[in-house]
Amino acid sequence: MGFIENYHDWLKVADTALPRNIIGYLTQLCLGPLRADPFTILPYDHPKEIAKCGHKVGTSFLPGELPEREGPRPEISGWIAPHRQITQLTGDDMHKQLAQAMEELAAKYSSHTVVRTSVLEKSGDAFLVADGVATPHSIAKSTKREIAHVHAGTGSGDYSLHMSLSPADCKEVISKKWGERMTLAGSLVPHEYLMVYTPRTKEEVEIVKTIVSAAIEFMAGVERPAE
């Protein structure tokens, strides 16, 4: 496939994180050498990386171990950006359930988070650390206080998520096949910036909700509220 054909294929899925023109396409090509190993968990045991997060080794914000995700991982597009899954996609019913789960988290953590347009994707809703809440570590500062967002809508909307998790929770999510490192993790975004795959069942929605909850608690520095 030639350059022009590749460019037009990219335009079909391009989001707003990069300009939707030839400049954006060339930018993501130039970022190719920075592509991260999606499945390595080595950075999450490094003392310097843990120190950036303000927590001791092994600190987890998940309520317990995750079950292993059933089946193989989804296939991921070959672009550096947008970073999206292209198989194991779901329909409107699952999208609505995921949206409902995010609304419930927004209500639960309303004193520590705010829902605004993603500062990283430049479109779509995202959880951010609320203005009156101090960022607890350098990871939250490096993502401009953004915690998580869902890739919803048309075009590149696969309903996967991007979020930042504690090193221990990154290891758990990657090892149990619920997600992988973002293409630019460890370079333009922190090592802790992961993709979590779109949930395929009601049960998986609840697990993804638990993972987003852990991201919120890590990034906003809050304890889990009593049920």
Side-chain angles (χ1 to χ4, degrees), residues 57-117:
V57 176
T59 300
S60 173
F61 294 83
L62 292 166
E65 291 187 6
L66 296 173
E68 184 167 319
R69 184 178 181 273
E70 292 186 5
R73 297 176 186 269
E75 295 179 26
I76 305 300
S77 68
W79 314 113
I80 288 289
H83 180 218
R84 301 290 189 271
Q85 67 181 77
I86 56 175
T87 61
Q88 301 183 21
L89 302 177
T90 55
D92 289 344
D93 181 58
M94 294 310 305
H95 301 165
K96 290 176 182 177
Q97 290 189 44
L98 179 59
Q100 178 63 35
M102 297 304 102
E103 289 174 7
E104 291 170 0
L105 288 176
K108 184 175 183 179
Y109 294 100
S110 60
S111 61
H112 293 86
T113 66
V114 62
V115 176
R116 288 183 183 150
T117 301

Side-chain angles (χ1 to χ4, degrees), residues 133-208:
V133 176
T135 51
H137 43 62
S138 65
I139 306 304
K141 294 177 183 178
S142 65
T143 64
K144 302 177 181 177
R145 304 175 71 89
E146 184 160 331
I147 301 169
H149 59 256
V150 178
H151 301 125
T154 58
S156 60
D158 62 346
Y159 289 83
S160 65
L161 306 89
H162 276 145
M163 67 188 73
S164 297
L165 292 156
S166 74
D169 291 340
C170 286
K171 291 173 63 176
E172 182 73 2
V173 167
I174 295 169
S175 298
K176 298 295 178 63
K177 302 191 300 182
W178 290 100
E180 60 185 69
R181 300 172 76 223
M182 194 268 180
T183 45
L184 296 169
S187 56
L188 298 188
V189 296
H191 283 292
E192 293 74 19
Y193 194 63
L194 303 190
M195 167 192 273
V196 171
Y197 309 132
T198 188
R200 302 165 292 181
T201 65
K202 181 179 179 181
E203 291 73 23
E204 288 192 358
V205 169
E206 290 304 311
I207 292 171
V208 169

